[in-house]
Amino acid sequence: MNRLITCFFSAALFASAATLQAQPQTTPLGDIERDYSGRADTLEYVLVNQFLNSSKGTFYAIPRSYPGYEDATQFIYWQQAHALDVIIYAYERIKDTGDRRISNYKRMMEFWFDNHANNWYHKEGDTTGFYNEFTDDMCWIGLTMLHMSEALEDDTYANMARKIFDDYILPRGSRDSKGFFSLPWKDDGSGPNACTNSPGCLLAAKLYLRYGDESYLQVAKDLYDWEANVMKTEYKNDGRVEHPALTYTQGTFGEAARQLYHITGNPDYMTMASRVLYYAINSSSCNYQGLLRDEGSSMDQSIFKAVLIPYLVNYALDEEAGLTYRKRIVTILQRNANALWNNLNLKAYPKTFCNYYWGTPFDNTTTPSMGAMVSGASLMENTARLALALLNAADVTGVDNVECEADDAPATIFNASGQTLQKMQRGLNIVKQTDGRTVKVFKK
């Protein structure tokens, strides 16, 4: 077979044809189309270049080149958790590469922490700087601190998350007349709701995993039971965590259930994780024309998808989760990532802003949103994390590290699932040549 083959690949990423052929029924690896790292780098640069307050490590609500950016940012607190999470995921991806951004991202995290994530609320006697009247805000901040400690291998941030949980979050909890324990939305007792108890459940589970204190596990179970009861009595277990269904609570409660499954081994938790995450990617409540929908242009609404995306990836990478759902998530995430990329105005770079709905371009006559930018950057970064994790998990032995524009040697071409192809297709292909070489190619 003589043909022009345009290929881009890395031997460190792409698995051997034999491994791929052996795995199509046990892993979604064969569904990966490309390495999304470069696209993730592009959006993270825009996020940092346009929205970062470099002296504080926090992010402005609108680009700093737009009038009123400081006033618009005054009350932006819980959103800072998800903006920094994108940077933490990027740091984890590049931290062993020698990339010059490594020290910048580390310093950004430290500044974010030292400046209390732009917390606008001040309470007399608070020694942490992170106390807030909104319980869920502290839960989100605590989850990001745990992520920081995981990435930086520094207990400082996890210990602070634990202190906030012990001193400020948990004491607000109470039991209702039916015996269900829950957290209120605010310190005045208003609530409870899904947007508070979902991250509260996940935070308690992760504190248990880090510190081994059984009391955290019990709290996580109790908060799960409260939410599961709401879903049963109000929504007939159709997959909705709340009504209307919002991506961030679907994702957070799904991740909490998945974590509880791995802690306890109880399959009911994984069943719940599958149900609520599948609802997020399949229901008309959360999707529009095959993509995650526009949930609104406010700072809260526009950042919702940034919360869901990492937890979808965690599920897709979980070998104990259902393969059908895992493969579906891989497909949906790449569909969204490709739609976002195709609708970006790359000619305006670095003013390449993400829209609220990834199926259409951003309207440059309007003011860009940090929430929308973070959601888009989270999508691309975590899709890159997904692709790299699946590809790195495969056997990469015996692969030639070659960059080619043309190769006239007779070859048999396979797709990532090991099926024979007559011609190259978009995405990952495996070329087995008669001279004994096996080449992985990535056709754009």
Side-chain angles (χ1 to χ4, degrees), residues 361-443:
F362 173 72
D363 181 356
N364 288 315
T365 66
T366 63
T367 302
S369 164
M370 183 265 277
M373 193 70 224
V374 169
S375 286
S378 178
L379 170 67
M380 207 64 72
E381 179 59 49
N382 281 283
T383 305
R385 176 166 69 95
L386 172 67
L388 293 171
L390 289 173
L391 293 165
N392 280 324
D395 180 10
V396 297
T397 59
V399 180
D400 295 325
N401 188 4
V402 181
E403 182 170 324
C404 57
E405 289 188 354
D407 195 331
D408 293 330
T412 303
I413 301 175
F414 300 89
N415 66 12
S417 296
Q419 299 167 320
T420 304
L421 301 173
Q422 295 300 314
K423 60 181 180 179
M424 295 287 289
Q425 64 179 22
R426 288 179 57 198
L428 176 62
N429 294 268
I430 300 95
V431 180
K432 295 184 70 176
Q433 297 176 291
T434 54
D435 60 5
R437 288 192 301 150
T438 299
V439 180
K440 286 19 162 232
V441 298
F442 227 55
K443 184 176 182 183

Coordinates of all heavy atoms in Angstrom, one line a residue, residues 361-443:
P361 N -19.8 30.3 18.6 CA -18.7 31.2 19.0 C -19.1 32.2 20.0 O -20.3 32.6 20.2 CB -18.3 31.9 17.6 CG -19.0 31.1 16.6 CD -20.2 30.5 17.2
F362 N -18.1 32.7 20.7 CA -18.3 33.8 21.7 C -18.7 35.1 21.0 O -18.0 35.4 19.9 CB -17.1 34.0 22.6 CG -17.2 35.2 23.5 CD1 -18.0 35.2 24.6 CD2 -16.4 36.3 23.2 CE1 -18.1 36.3 25.4 CE2 -16.5 37.4 24.1 CZ -17.4 37.4 25.1
D363 N -19.6 35.8 21.5 CA -20.0 37.1 20.9 C -19.0 38.2 21.4 O -19.1 38.6 22.5 CB -21.4 37.4 21.3 CG -21.9 38.8 20.7 OD1 -21.1 39.5 20.0 OD2 -23.1 39.1 20.9
N364 N -18.2 38.7 20.5 CA -17.1 39.6 20.9 C -17.7 41.0 21.3 O -16.9 41.8 21.8 CB -16.1 39.7 19.8 CG -15.2 38.5 19.7 OD1 -14.8 38.0 20.7 ND2 -15.0 38.0 18.5
T365 N -19.0 41.2 21.0 CA -19.6 42.5 21.4 C -20.0 42.5 22.9 O -20.4 43.5 23.4 CB -20.8 42.8 20.5 OG1 -21.8 41.9 20.8 CG2 -20.4 42.8 19.1
T366 N -19.9 41.3 23.5 CA -20.3 41.2 24.9 C -19.0 41.0 25.8 O -17.9 40.9 25.3 CB -21.2 40.0 25.2 OG1 -20.5 38.8 24.8 CG2 -22.4 40.1 24.3
T367 N -19.2 41.1 27.1 CA -18.1 41.0 28.0 C -17.8 39.6 28.4 O -18.7 38.8 28.8 CB -18.4 41.8 29.3 OG1 -18.6 43.2 29.0 CG2 -17.2 41.7 30.3
P368 N -16.5 39.1 28.2 CA -16.2 37.7 28.5 C -16.4 37.4 30.0 O -16.2 38.3 30.8 CB -14.7 37.6 28.1 CG -14.5 38.8 27.2 CD -15.4 39.9 27.6
S369 N -16.6 36.2 30.3 CA -16.8 35.7 31.7 C -15.7 34.8 32.1 O -15.4 33.8 31.4 CB -18.2 35.0 31.8 OG -18.2 34.2 33.0
M370 N -15.2 35.0 33.3 CA -14.2 34.1 33.9 C -14.8 32.7 34.1 O -14.2 31.7 33.8 CB -13.7 34.6 35.2 CG -12.6 33.7 35.9 SD -13.3 32.5 37.0 CE -13.4 33.5 38.5
G371 N -16.1 32.7 34.4 CA -16.8 31.4 34.6 C -16.8 30.6 33.4 O -16.5 29.4 33.3
A372 N -17.2 31.2 32.3 CA -17.2 30.5 31.0 C -15.8 30.1 30.5 O -15.6 29.0 30.0 CB -17.9 31.4 29.9
M373 N -14.8 31.0 30.8 CA -13.5 30.7 30.4 C -13.0 29.5 31.2 O -12.3 28.6 30.7 CB -12.6 31.9 30.7 CG -11.2 31.8 30.0 SD -11.3 31.9 28.2 CE -10.2 30.5 27.8
V374 N -13.3 29.4 32.5 CA -12.8 28.3 33.3 C -13.5 27.0 32.9 O -12.9 26.0 32.9 CB -13.1 28.6 34.8 CG1 -13.0 27.4 35.7 CG2 -12.2 29.7 35.3
S375 N -14.8 27.1 32.6 CA -15.5 25.9 32.1 C -14.8 25.3 30.9 O -14.6 24.1 30.7 CB -17.0 26.2 31.9 OG -17.7 26.3 33.1
G376 N -14.5 26.2 29.9 CA -13.9 25.7 28.7 C -12.5 25.2 28.9 O -12.1 24.2 28.4
A377 N -11.7 25.9 29.8 CA -10.4 25.4 30.1 C -10.4 24.1 30.8 O -9.6 23.2 30.6 CB -9.6 26.5 30.8
S378 N -11.4 24.0 31.7 CA -11.5 22.7 32.5 C -11.9 21.6 31.5 O -11.3 20.5 31.6 CB -12.6 22.8 33.5 OG -12.8 21.6 34.2
L379 N -12.7 21.8 30.6 CA -13.1 20.8 29.6 C -11.9 20.3 28.8 O -11.6 19.1 28.7 CB -14.1 21.4 28.6 CG -14.4 20.5 27.4 CD1 -15.1 19.2 27.8 CD2 -15.2 21.3 26.3
M380 N -11.0 21.3 28.3 CA -9.9 20.9 27.5 C -8.8 20.2 28.3 O -8.2 19.2 27.9 CB -9.4 22.1 26.8 CG -8.7 21.8 25.5 SD -9.8 21.0 24.2 CE -10.7 22.5 23.7
E381 N -8.6 20.8 29.5 CA -7.5 20.2 30.4 C -7.9 18.8 30.9 O -7.0 17.9 30.8 CB -7.3 21.1 31.6 CG -6.2 20.6 32.6 CD -4.9 20.4 31.9 OE1 -4.4 21.4 31.2 OE2 -4.3 19.3 32.1
N382 N -9.1 18.6 31.2 CA -9.5 17.3 31.7 C -9.7 16.3 30.6 O -9.5 15.1 30.8 CB -10.7 17.4 32.6 CG -10.4 17.9 34.0 OD1 -9.9 17.2 34.8 ND2 -10.6 19.2 34.2
T383 N -10.0 16.8 29.4 CA -10.1 15.8 28.3 C -8.7 15.4 27.9 O -8.4 14.2 27.6 CB -10.8 16.5 27.1 OG1 -12.1 16.9 27.5 CG2 -10.9 15.5 25.9
A384 N -7.7 16.3 28.1 CA -6.3 16.0 27.9 C -5.9 15.0 29.0 O -5.2 14.0 28.7 CB -5.4 17.2 27.9
R385 N -6.3 15.2 30.2 CA -6.0 14.3 31.3 C -6.5 12.9 31.0 O -5.9 11.8 31.2 CB -6.5 14.8 32.6 CG -6.4 13.9 33.8 CD -6.6 14.6 35.1 NE -8.0 14.9 35.3 CZ -8.9 14.2 36.0 NH1 -8.5 13.0 36.5 NH2 -10.1 14.6 36.2
L386 N -7.8 12.8 30.5 CA -8.4 11.6 30.1 C -7.6 10.8 29.1 O -7.3 9.6 29.2 CB -9.8 11.8 29.7 CG -10.6 10.7 29.1 CD1 -10.9 9.7 30.2 CD2 -11.9 11.2 28.4
A387 N -7.3 11.5 28.0 CA -6.6 10.9 26.9 C -5.2 10.4 27.3 O -4.8 9.3 27.0 CB -6.5 11.9 25.7
L388 N -4.5 11.2 28.0 CA -3.1 10.9 28.4 C -3.2 9.7 29.4 O -2.3 8.8 29.3 CB -2.4 12.1 29.0 CG -2.1 13.2 28.1 CD1 -1.6 14.4 28.8 CD2 -1.1 12.8 27.0
A389 N -4.1 9.7 30.3 CA -4.2 8.6 31.3 C -4.5 7.3 30.6 O -3.8 6.3 30.9 CB -5.2 8.9 32.3
L390 N -5.4 7.3 29.7 CA -5.7 6.0 29.0 C -4.5 5.6 28.1 O -4.2 4.4 28.0 CB -7.0 6.2 28.1 CG -8.3 6.4 28.9 CD1 -9.4 6.7 27.9 CD2 -8.6 5.1 29.6
L391 N -3.9 6.5 27.4 CA -2.8 6.1 26.5 C -1.6 5.7 27.3 O -0.9 4.8 27.0 CB -2.5 7.3 25.6 CG -3.6 7.6 24.6 CD1 -3.4 9.0 24.0 CD2 -3.7 6.6 23.5
N392 N -1.3 6.4 28.4 CA -0.2 6.0 29.2 C -0.3 4.7 30.0 O 0.6 4.0 30.3 CB 0.1 7.1 30.3 CG 0.9 8.3 29.7 OD1 1.7 8.1 28.8 ND2 0.6 9.5 30.1
A393 N -1.6 4.3 30.2 CA -1.9 3.0 30.9 C -1.6 1.8 30.0 O -1.5 0.7 30.5 CB -3.3 3.0 31.3
A394 N -1.5 2.0 28.7 CA -1.2 0.9 27.7 C 0.3 0.6 27.6 O 1.1 1.4 28.0 CB -1.8 1.3 26.4
D395 N 0.6 -0.5 27.0 CA 1.9 -0.9 26.8 C 2.5 -0.2 25.7 O 2.0 -0.2 24.6 CB 2.0 -2.4 26.5 CG 3.4 -3.0 26.3 OD1 4.3 -2.2 26.6 OD2 3.5 -4.1 25.9
V396 N 3.7 0.5 25.9 CA 4.2 1.3 24.8 C 5.6 0.8 24.3 O 6.3 1.4 23.7 CB 4.4 2.8 25.2 CG1 3.1 3.4 25.5 CG2 5.4 2.9 26.4
T397 N 5.8 -0.5 24.7 CA 7.1 -1.1 24.3 C 7.1 -1.4 22.8 O 6.1 -1.7 22.2 CB 7.4 -2.4 25.1 OG1 6.3 -3.3 24.8 CG2 7.4 -2.1 26.6
G398 N 8.3 -1.3 22.2 CA 8.5 -1.7 20.8 C 8.0 -0.7 19.8 O 7.7 -1.1 18.7
V399 N 7.9 0.5 20.2 CA 7.3 1.6 19.3 C 8.4 2.5 18.9 O 9.2 3.0 19.6 CB 6.2 2.4 20.1 CG1 5.7 3.4 19.1 CG2 5.1 1.5 20.6
D400 N 8.5 2.6 17.6 CA 9.5 3.5 17.0 C 9.1 5.0 17.2 O 7.9 5.3 16.9 CB 9.7 3.3 15.5 CG 10.3 1.9 15.3 OD1 11.1 1.4 16.1 OD2 9.9 1.3 14.3
N401 N 10.0 5.8 17.7 CA 9.7 7.2 17.8 C 10.1 7.9 16.5 O 11.2 8.3 16.3 CB 10.5 7.8 19.0 CG 10.1 9.2 19.3 OD1 9.2 9.7 18.7 ND2 10.8 9.8 20.3
V402 N 9.2 8.0 15.6 CA 9.4 8.5 14.3 C 8.4 9.6 13.9 O 7.3 9.6 14.3 CB 9.3 7.4 13.2 CG1 9.6 7.9 11.8 CG2 10.2 6.2 13.6
E403 N 8.9 10.7 13.3 CA 8.0 11.6 12.7 C 8.1 11.6 11.2 O 9.2 11.7 10.7 CB 8.3 13.0 13.2 CG 7.4 14.1 12.7 CD 7.6 15.4 13.4 OE1 7.9 15.5 14.6 OE2 7.4 16.5 12.7
C404 N 7.0 11.3 10.5 CA 7.1 11.1 9.1 C 6.0 11.9 8.3 O 5.0 12.2 8.9 CB 6.8 9.6 8.8 SG 5.3 9.0 9.4
E405 N 6.4 12.3 7.1 CA 5.4 12.9 6.3 C 5.0 12.0 5.1 O 4.0 12.0 4.6 CB 6.0 14.2 5.6 CG 6.2 15.3 6.7 CD 6.6 16.6 6.0 OE1 6.9 16.6 4.8 OE2 6.6 17.6 6.7
A406 N 5.9 11.0 4.8 CA 5.6 10.0 3.8 C 6.3 8.8 4.1 O 7.4 8.8 4.6 CB 6.0 10.6 2.4
D407 N 5.7 7.7 3.8 CA 6.3 6.4 3.9 C 5.8 5.5 2.9 O 4.6 5.2 2.9 CB 6.1 5.8 5.3 CG 7.0 4.7 5.7 OD1 7.4 4.0 4.8 OD2 7.3 4.5 6.9
D408 N 6.6 5.0 2.0 CA 6.2 4.2 0.9 C 6.2 2.7 1.1 O 5.9 1.9 0.3 CB 7.0 4.5 -0.4 CG 6.7 5.9 -0.9 OD1 5.6 6.4 -0.7 OD2 7.6 6.5 -1.5
A409 N 6.6 2.3 2.4 CA 6.7 0.9 2.7 C 5.3 0.3 2.8 O 4.4 1.0 3.3 CB 7.4 0.7 4.0
P410 N 5.1 -0.9 2.2 CA 3.7 -1.5 2.4 C 3.4 -1.6 3.8 O 4.2 -1.9 4.7 CB 3.9 -2.9 1.7 CG 5.1 -2.7 0.8 CD 6.0 -1.7 1.5
A411 N 2.1 -1.3 4.1 CA 1.7 -1.3 5.5 C 0.2 -1.7 5.6 O -0.6 -1.6 4.7 CB 1.8 0.1 6.1
T412 N -0.1 -2.3 6.8 CA -1.5 -2.5 7.2 C -1.8 -1.5 8.3 O -1.1 -1.4 9.2 CB -1.6 -4.0 7.7 OG1 -1.2 -4.9 6.8 CG2 -3.1 -4.3 8.1
I413 N -3.0 -0.9 8.1 CA -3.4 0.2 9.0 C -4.6 -0.3 9.8 O -5.5 -0.9 9.3 CB -3.8 1.5 8.2 CG1 -2.6 1.9 7.3 CG2 -4.2 2.6 9.2 CD1 -2.9 3.1 6.5
F414 N -4.4 0.0 11.1 CA -5.5 -0.4 12.1 C -6.0 0.9 12.8 O -5.2 1.8 12.9 CB -5.0 -1.4 13.1 CG -4.5 -2.6 12.6 CD1 -3.1 -2.8 12.2 CD2 -5.3 -3.7 12.4 CE1 -2.6 -3.9 11.7 CE2 -4.8 -4.9 11.9 CZ -3.4 -5.0 11.6
N415 N -7.2 0.9 13.3 CA -7.7 1.9 14.2 C -7.3 1.6 15.6 O -6.7 0.5 15.8 CB -9.2 2.2 14.0 CG -10.1 1.1 14.5 OD1 -9.6 0.2 15.1 ND2 -11.3 1.2 14.1
A416 N -7.7 2.4 16.5 CA -7.2 2.2 17.9 C -7.9 1.0 18.5 O -7.4 0.5 19.5 CB -7.6 3.5 18.8
S417 N -9.0 0.5 18.0 CA -9.6 -0.7 18.5 C -9.1 -2.0 17.8 O -9.6 -3.0 18.1 CB -11.2 -0.6 18.3 OG -11.7 0.5 19.0
G418 N -8.1 -1.8 16.9 CA -7.5 -3.0 16.3 C -8.2 -3.4 15.0 O -7.9 -4.5 14.5
Q419 N -9.1 -2.6 14.5 CA -9.8 -3.0 13.3 C -9.0 -2.6 12.1 O -8.4 -1.5 12.0 CB -11.2 -2.4 13.2 CG -12.1 -2.8 14.4 CD -13.3 -1.9 14.5 OE1 -13.3 -0.7 14.3 NE2 -14.5 -2.5 14.8
T420 N -8.9 -3.4 11.0 CA -8.2 -3.1 9.8 C -8.9 -2.0 9.0 O -10.1 -2.0 8.9 CB -8.0 -4.4 9.0 OG1 -7.5 -5.4 9.7 CG2 -7.2 -4.1 7.7
L421 N -8.1 -1.1 8.6 CA -8.6 0.1 7.8 C -8.0 0.0 6.4 O -6.9 -0.4 6.2 CB -8.2 1.4 8.5 CG -8.7 1.6 9.9 CD1 -8.1 2.9 10.4 CD2 -10.3 1.7 9.9
Q422 N -8.8 0.6 5.4 CA -8.3 0.7 4.1 C -7.5 2.0 3.9 O -6.7 2.1 3.0 CB -9.5 0.6 3.1 CG -10.2 -0.7 3.1 CD -9.3 -1.8 2.7 OE1 -8.6 -1.7 1.7 NE2 -9.4 -2.9 3.5
K423 N -7.8 3.0 4.7 CA -7.1 4.2 4.6 C -7.1 4.9 6.0 O -7.8 4.5 6.9 CB -7.9 5.2 3.6 CG -9.3 5.5 4.0 CD -9.9 6.4 3.0 CE -11.4 6.7 3.4 NZ -12.0 7.6 2.4
M424 N -6.2 5.9 6.1 CA -6.0 6.6 7.4 C -7.3 7.3 7.7 O -8.0 7.8 6.8 CB -4.9 7.6 7.2 CG -3.5 7.0 7.0 SD -2.9 6.2 8.5 CE -2.5 7.7 9.5
Q425 N -7.6 7.4 9.0 CA -8.8 8.1 9.5 C -8.3 9.1 10.5 O -7.2 9.0 11.0 CB -9.8 7.2 10.0 CG -9.4 6.5 11.3 CD -10.5 5.6 11.8 OE1 -11.4 5.2 11.1 NE2 -10.4 5.2 13.1
R426 N -9.2 10.0 10.9 CA -8.8 11.0 11.9 C -8.6 10.3 13.2 O -9.2 9.3 13.6 CB -9.9 12.0 12.1 CG -10.1 13.0 10.9 CD -11.2 14.0 11.2 NE -11.1 14.7 12.5 CZ -12.1 15.3 13.1 NH1 -13.3 15.2 12.6 NH2 -11.8 15.9 14.2
G427 N -7.6 10.8 14.0 CA -7.3 10.3 15.3 C -6.2 9.3 15.3 O -5.3 9.3 14.4
L428 N -6.2 8.4 16.2 CA -5.1 7.5 16.4 C -5.2 6.3 15.4 O -6.2 5.6 15.3 CB -5.1 6.9 17.9 CG -4.1 5.8 18.2 CD1 -2.7 6.4 18.1 CD2 -4.3 5.4 19.6
N429 N -4.1 6.0 14.7 CA -4.0 4.8 13.9 C -2.7 4.1 14.2 O -1.7 4.7 14.7 CB -4.0 5.3 12.4 CG -5.3 5.9 12.0 OD1 -6.2 5.2 11.5 ND2 -5.5 7.2 12.2
I430 N -2.7 2.8 13.9 CA -1.5 2.0 14.1 C -1.1 1.5 12.7 O -1.9 0.9 12.0 CB -1.8 0.8 15.0 CG1 -2.2 1.3 16.4 CG2 -0.5 -0.1 15.2 CD1 -3.7 1.4 16.6
V431 N 0.1 1.7 12.3 CA 0.6 1.3 11.0 C 1.7 0.1 11.2 O 2.7 0.4 11.8 CB 1.3 2.4 10.2 CG1 1.8 1.9 8.9 CG2 0.3 3.6 10.1
K432 N 1.3 -1.1 10.8 CA 2.3 -2.2 10.9 C 2.9 -2.4 9.5 O 2.2 -2.7 8.5 CB 1.5 -3.5 11.4 CG 1.0 -3.3 12.8 CD 0.3 -4.7 13.2 CE 1.4 -5.7 13.5 NZ 0.8 -7.0 14.0
Q433 N 4.2 -2.2 9.5 CA 4.9 -2.3 8.2 C 5.6 -3.6 8.0 O 5.9 -4.4 8.9 CB 5.9 -1.2 8.1 CG 5.2 0.2 8.1 CD 6.2 1.4 8.1 OE1 6.9 1.6 9.1 NE2 6.2 2.1 7.1
T434 N 5.8 -4.0 6.7 CA 6.4 -5.3 6.4 C 7.8 -5.4 6.8 O 8.3 -6.5 7.0 CB 6.3 -5.5 4.9 OG1 6.9 -4.5 4.2 CG2 4.8 -5.7 4.4
D435 N 8.5 -4.3 7.1 CA 9.8 -4.4 7.6 C 9.9 -4.7 9.1 O 11.0 -4.6 9.7 CB 10.6 -3.1 7.3 CG 10.0 -1.9 7.9 OD1 9.1 -2.0 8.7 OD2 10.5 -0.8 7.6
G436 N 8.7 -4.9 9.7 CA 8.7 -5.2 11.1 C 8.4 -4.1 12.1 O 8.2 -4.3 13.3
R437 N 8.4 -2.9 11.6 CA 8.1 -1.7 12.4 C 6.6 -1.6 12.7 O 5.8 -1.9 11.9 CB 8.6 -0.4 11.8 CG 10.1 -0.3 11.8 CD 10.5 1.1 11.4 NE 10.0 1.5 10.1 CZ 9.7 2.8 9.8 NH1 9.8 3.7 10.7 NH2 9.2 3.0 8.6
T438 N 6.3 -1.1 13.9 CA 5.0 -0.7 14.3 C 5.0 0.8 14.7 O 5.8 1.2 15.5 CB 4.5 -1.5 15.5 OG1 4.5 -2.9 15.2 CG2 3.1 -1.1 15.9
V439 N 4.2 1.5 13.9 CA 4.2 3.0 14.1 C 2.9 3.5 14.5 O 1.9 3.1 13.9 CB 4.7 3.7 12.8 CG1 4.7 5.2 12.9 CG2 6.0 3.2 12.3
K440 N 2.8 4.3 15.5 CA 1.6 5.0 16.0 C 1.5 6.3 15.3 O 2.5 7.1 15.4 CB 1.5 5.1 17.5 CG 1.3 3.9 18.3 CD 1.6 2.6 17.6 CE 1.7 1.5 18.6 NZ 3.0 0.8 18.3
V441 N 0.4 6.6 14.7 CA 0.3 7.9 14.0 C -1.0 8.6 14.5 O -2.0 7.9 14.8 CB 0.3 7.8 12.5 CG1 1.6 7.2 12.0 CG2 -0.9 6.9 12.0
F442 N -1.0 9.9 14.5 CA -2.1 10.7 14.9 C -2.4 11.6 13.7 O -1.7 12.6 13.5 CB -1.7 11.5 16.1 CG -2.7 11.5 17.2 CD1 -3.1 10.3 17.7 CD2 -3.3 12.6 17.7 CE1 -4.0 10.2 18.8 CE2 -4.2 12.6 18.8 CZ -4.6 11.4 19.3
K443 N -3.5 11.3 13.0 CA -3.9 12.1 11.9 C -4.9 13.1 12.3 O -5.9 12.8 12.8 CB -4.5 11.2 10.7 CG -4.8 12.0 9.5 CD -5.3 11.2 8.4 CE -5.5 12.0 7.1 NZ -6.1 11.2 6.0

